Amino acid sequence: MSQQKDQILAEMGIKPLWRLRQASPAEPQAEPVPPVPLADDAELVVREQKLEPAVPHSVPEPALSGVAGMDWDTLGEAVSACQACRLCERRKQAVLGVGDPHADWMLVGEGPGAEEDARGEPFVGQAGKLLDAMLAAIALKRGENVYIANAVKCRPPGNRTPEPAEIEACRPYLERQIALVKPKLILAMGRPAAQTLIGGEVKIGAARGKLFSYLDVPVIVTYHPAYLLRNLPDKARAWEDLCFAKDQMARLAST
Ligand code: URA
Ligand code: SF4
């Protein structure tokens, strides 16, 4: 292993690599995991929440009705001006996403934090540094064949978890991003992202290592980088998830 890769894994808190392999003899990527079909009603349940008038600041549906036909420029403008949920009230700016607009890999996080809100780019704070290290560990790089987005485009005050109604209000933008990027694989990082893409209640520990799908795109679930910063032992599991994702991508590319 190159020194650089060693450093990357050290930064992720996983070193040396051989220790990890030894610790997990049944590496998930060694066994094909049968795709878990997304139950139609699972998505429906989430979508139905959208109909609940739970968001006081939601604007009438027509405000978001054109999103499905938008190009990148129009989408960016729409998100910047969006007032479809109350997260618009305290944002400095909306953060649409960053990266290769035709990437094979799409990563979905939760929502912008303070630094993202200030700079207008997802994952540029501490969690972002870890994410970059994780990407580097599987030979990926922000912006190169990778597109990064969040479940909500505006910063939840105090970095609280976005509410289901906020995620639902923002869903058309994420859907449009997925439709425009057409990724081969989506990595959902953390519970809100996983629940957004899979539907229903998701426990990361139970959902990782499986293949789900969203709008016909395979979805893999893993821990959120910010969670990993606080829960070092789970970094090894995140590494396994990345290897699983890489392996699935190789399969997808060969079919
Ligand atoms: N956490 C997220 O979920 N997204 C970001 O963009 C930054 C931190
Ligand atoms: Fe609009 Fe999404 Fe921002 Fe809410 S979080 S105001 S839906 S862009």
Short mmCIF file of all heavy atoms in Angstrom, two decimals, residues 95 108-113 116 121-125 127-128 148-151 189 224-226, ligand 1:
data_model
loop_
_atom_site.label_atom_id
_atom_site.label_comp_id
_atom_site.label_asym_id
_atom_site.label_seq_id
_atom_site.Cartn_x
_atom_site.Cartn_y
_atom_site.Cartn_z
N VAL A 95 -27.90 25.58 -0.45
CA VAL A 95 -26.75 24.82 -0.94
C VAL A 95 -27.28 23.66 -1.79
O VAL A 95 -27.77 22.67 -1.25
CB VAL A 95 -25.92 24.28 0.24
CG1 VAL A 95 -24.70 23.52 -0.26
CG2 VAL A 95 -25.49 25.42 1.16
N VAL A 108 -25.48 11.47 -0.74
CA VAL A 108 -26.52 12.33 -0.18
C VAL A 108 -26.36 12.40 1.34
O VAL A 108 -26.36 11.37 2.02
CB VAL A 108 -27.94 11.82 -0.55
CG1 VAL A 108 -29.00 12.72 0.07
CG2 VAL A 108 -28.11 11.77 -2.07
N GLY A 109 -26.20 13.62 1.83
CA GLY A 109 -26.09 13.85 3.27
C GLY A 109 -27.41 14.38 3.81
O GLY A 109 -28.48 14.18 3.22
N GLU A 110 -27.30 15.10 4.92
CA GLU A 110 -28.50 15.53 5.64
C GLU A 110 -28.90 16.95 5.23
O GLU A 110 -29.94 17.18 4.61
CB GLU A 110 -28.16 15.43 7.12
CG GLU A 110 -29.30 15.64 8.05
CD GLU A 110 -28.89 15.34 9.48
OE1 GLU A 110 -28.20 14.32 9.73
OE2 GLU A 110 -29.25 16.12 10.38
N GLY A 111 -28.06 17.89 5.59
CA GLY A 111 -28.33 19.28 5.26
C GLY A 111 -27.10 20.10 5.55
O GLY A 111 -26.21 19.66 6.27
N PRO A 112 -27.03 21.31 5.01
CA PRO A 112 -25.85 22.15 5.23
C PRO A 112 -25.66 22.47 6.71
O PRO A 112 -26.64 22.63 7.44
CB PRO A 112 -26.18 23.43 4.45
CG PRO A 112 -27.31 23.09 3.55
CD PRO A 112 -28.05 21.96 4.18
N GLY A 113 -24.40 22.56 7.12
CA GLY A 113 -24.07 23.07 8.45
C GLY A 113 -23.66 24.53 8.31
O GLY A 113 -23.87 25.15 7.26
N GLU A 116 -21.12 25.20 5.45
CA GLU A 116 -21.74 24.99 4.15
C GLU A 116 -22.69 26.15 3.83
O GLU A 116 -22.73 26.64 2.69
CB GLU A 116 -22.52 23.66 4.15
CG GLU A 116 -21.63 22.42 4.20
CD GLU A 116 -21.04 22.12 5.57
OE1 GLU A 116 -21.58 22.65 6.56
OE2 GLU A 116 -20.04 21.37 5.65
N GLU A 121 -21.40 25.40 -0.37
CA GLU A 121 -20.99 24.09 -0.90
C GLU A 121 -21.19 23.03 0.17
O GLU A 121 -20.90 23.27 1.35
CB GLU A 121 -19.51 24.15 -1.32
CG GLU A 121 -19.02 22.85 -1.92
CD GLU A 121 -17.60 22.94 -2.49
OE1 GLU A 121 -17.17 24.04 -2.89
OE2 GLU A 121 -16.94 21.88 -2.53
N PRO A 122 -21.69 21.85 -0.21
CA PRO A 122 -21.92 20.81 0.79
C PRO A 122 -20.60 20.23 1.33
O PRO A 122 -19.61 20.18 0.60
CB PRO A 122 -22.68 19.70 0.04
CG PRO A 122 -22.98 20.22 -1.31
CD PRO A 122 -22.10 21.41 -1.55
N PHE A 123 -20.62 19.81 2.54
CA PHE A 123 -19.52 19.07 3.16
C PHE A 123 -18.17 19.77 3.01
O PHE A 123 -17.23 19.21 2.45
CB PHE A 123 -19.46 17.63 2.59
CG PHE A 123 -20.54 16.75 3.15
CD1 PHE A 123 -21.67 16.47 2.41
CD2 PHE A 123 -20.43 16.21 4.43
CE1 PHE A 123 -22.68 15.66 2.93
CE2 PHE A 123 -21.43 15.40 4.96
CZ PHE A 123 -22.56 15.13 4.20
N VAL A 124 -18.10 20.99 3.49
CA VAL A 124 -16.82 21.70 3.50
C VAL A 124 -16.29 21.90 4.92
O VAL A 124 -15.19 22.39 5.11
CB VAL A 124 -16.90 23.07 2.77
CG1 VAL A 124 -17.04 22.87 1.27
CG2 VAL A 124 -18.03 23.93 3.30
N GLY A 125 -17.05 21.50 5.92
CA GLY A 125 -16.59 21.60 7.31
C GLY A 125 -15.84 20.35 7.74
O GLY A 125 -15.28 19.62 6.92
N ALA A 127 -16.93 17.46 8.93
CA ALA A 127 -17.48 16.22 8.36
C ALA A 127 -17.05 16.09 6.91
O ALA A 127 -16.80 14.97 6.42
CB ALA A 127 -19.00 16.21 8.47
N GLY A 128 -16.95 17.21 6.23
CA GLY A 128 -16.54 17.20 4.83
C GLY A 128 -15.10 16.74 4.65
O GLY A 128 -14.77 16.06 3.69
N ILE A 148 -22.23 15.47 -4.90
CA ILE A 148 -22.61 15.48 -3.49
C ILE A 148 -23.79 16.41 -3.26
O ILE A 148 -23.77 17.58 -3.68
CB ILE A 148 -21.43 15.93 -2.59
CG1 ILE A 148 -20.18 15.08 -2.87
CG2 ILE A 148 -21.81 15.82 -1.12
CD1 ILE A 148 -18.93 15.55 -2.14
N ALA A 149 -24.81 15.91 -2.61
CA ALA A 149 -25.99 16.73 -2.32
C ALA A 149 -26.47 16.42 -0.90
O ALA A 149 -25.92 15.57 -0.20
CB ALA A 149 -27.10 16.43 -3.32
N ASN A 150 -27.50 17.13 -0.50
CA ASN A 150 -28.09 16.91 0.81
C ASN A 150 -29.59 16.71 0.68
O ASN A 150 -30.21 17.13 -0.30
CB ASN A 150 -27.83 18.12 1.72
CG ASN A 150 -26.43 18.13 2.30
OD1 ASN A 150 -25.99 17.15 2.89
ND2 ASN A 150 -25.73 19.23 2.11
N ALA A 151 -30.18 16.12 1.72
CA ALA A 151 -31.63 15.90 1.71
C ALA A 151 -32.37 17.24 1.75
O ALA A 151 -33.37 17.42 1.07
CB ALA A 151 -32.04 15.04 2.89
N MET A 189 -25.95 8.86 3.31
CA MET A 189 -25.13 8.95 4.51
C MET A 189 -25.97 9.44 5.69
O MET A 189 -26.38 10.60 5.74
CB MET A 189 -23.96 9.90 4.25
CG MET A 189 -23.10 9.44 3.07
SD MET A 189 -21.70 10.53 2.75
CE MET A 189 -22.54 12.00 2.21
N HIS A 224 -23.26 8.64 8.68
CA HIS A 224 -22.95 10.01 8.31
C HIS A 224 -21.55 10.36 8.82
O HIS A 224 -21.21 10.00 9.94
CB HIS A 224 -23.98 10.96 8.92
CG HIS A 224 -23.91 12.35 8.39
ND1 HIS A 224 -22.91 13.22 8.76
CD2 HIS A 224 -24.68 13.00 7.50
CE1 HIS A 224 -23.09 14.36 8.12
NE2 HIS A 224 -24.16 14.25 7.35
N PRO A 225 -20.74 11.06 8.01
CA PRO A 225 -19.39 11.41 8.46
C PRO A 225 -19.37 12.16 9.80
O PRO A 225 -18.46 11.94 10.61
CB PRO A 225 -18.85 12.31 7.35
CG PRO A 225 -19.65 11.98 6.15
CD PRO A 225 -20.99 11.50 6.62
N ALA A 226 -20.35 13.03 10.05
CA ALA A 226 -20.35 13.75 11.33
C ALA A 226 -20.56 12.79 12.50
O ALA A 226 -19.99 12.97 13.58
CB ALA A 226 -21.45 14.82 11.32
N1 URA B 1 -23.49 17.49 7.01
C1 URA B 1 -24.35 17.22 5.99
O1 URA B 1 -25.19 16.35 6.10
N2 URA B 1 -24.21 17.91 4.88
C2 URA B 1 -23.30 18.86 4.70
O2 URA B 1 -23.26 19.44 3.63
C3 URA B 1 -22.41 19.13 5.77
C4 URA B 1 -22.53 18.44 6.92
#
